[in-house]
Amino acid sequence: MSPQALEKATLTGTSNGFEVKKVAEGDVEGGRDMKADKAPCQPPTSLADGFTRIPAVSVQHRSLGPAEAKNATVGSLWLASHSEQNAKKVMADLRTSLRECSGGFQTLGLTYTAITPVNAPKLGDEAVGYRITNVVAKQTVPMTDTVLREGGVVAVFHGVNMLTPNDSAIPETVVKAQLDRLG
């Protein structure tokens, strides 16, 4: 998808109980070149920092915040437009990494202690879900990522819920709403 088409197809506004806001490009650029201390762990490191390891044609980032006080899940979604071949490679590399990097890794002072597979919605051409545990100021912060491919677009949904970590995945209704816009 062209940069203009990708921007138009990316959620913005209120969707399924979440406020979806565009993130300024400068706010995400710092994560572009983050390196994991273990090479097999690079795909989830890149995804956690808002980029695919394989450079995309265009990328759109959004923040996700609860529209209602009863929801404690926050996070982000972002889309990366690739050729279909490169998008398939992003997904294959991620699957390999999840098998080879389950023990965790470090990047620029951040420690991730574990990566475990979780169920992903059966949406898109292919989907992968995993929980990654970050250690921040001696406190563990479980985050859930859902990564889908629809044609040449890789969609990443990153969620955190400090009150109920098992509920940290971005709801399937939000994921489906985004995929529907890719049409």
Side-chain angles (χ1 to χ4, degrees):
M1 294 181 82
S2 71
Q4 298 82 6
L6 189 67
E7 182 171 12
K8 185 176 180 181
T10 307
L11 285 175
T12 302
T14 301
S15 179
N16 297 286
F18 282 86
E19 293 290 330
V20 184
K21 298 178 181 175
K22 186 171 183 171
V23 177
E25 190 174 321
D27 290 344
V28 292
E29 278 302 312
R32 183 178 294 275
D33 296 316
M34 295 279 208
K35 300 289 181 220
D37 65 338
K38 300 174 188 170
C41 302
Q42 191 59 48
T45 298
S46 296
L47 294 178
D49 295 326
F51 296 94
T52 52
R53 187 183 59 77
I54 298 170
V57 173
S58 63
V59 181
Q60 285 291 317
H61 291 87
R62 301 291 187 267
S63 66
L64 297 170
E68 303 170 4
K70 65 182 181 177
N71 181 1
T73 300
V74 297
S76 62
L77 79 85
W78 56 274
L79 306 177
S81 177
H82 291 275
S83 68
E84 189 165 347
Q85 179 181 350
N86 280 350
K88 287 179 179 179
K89 177 132 178 62
V90 167
M91 298 299 287
D93 288 352
L94 177 59
R95 283 190 178 90
T96 299
S97 181
L98 294 177
R99 285 191 304 275
E100 296 177 0
C101 190
S102 62
F105 59 94
Q106 291 186 347
T107 178
L108 287 182
L110 298 174
T111 300
Y112 297 91
T113 59
I115 302 176
T116 55
V118 297
N119 290 331
K122 298 199 180 323
L123 298 169
D125 294 325
E126 57 182 315
V128 173
Y130 59 96
R131 184 160 294 131
I132 186 168
T133 303
N134 188 358
V135 179
V136 178
K138 298 184 182 178
Q139 182 174 352
T140 59
V141 181
M143 302 168 283
T144 302
D145 283 7
T146 303
V147 183
L148 296 100
R149 181 185 64 81
E150 180 70 33
V153 175
V154 174
V156 180
F157 301 84
H158 179 77
V160 176
N161 186 320
M162 295 297 291
L163 298 178
T164 52
N166 288 337
D167 295 331
S168 62
I170 300 302
E172 186 172 329
T173 55
V174 176
V175 175
K176 185 173 183 337
Q178 176 56 74
L179 290 182
D180 288 349
R181 289 189 59 142
L182 293 174

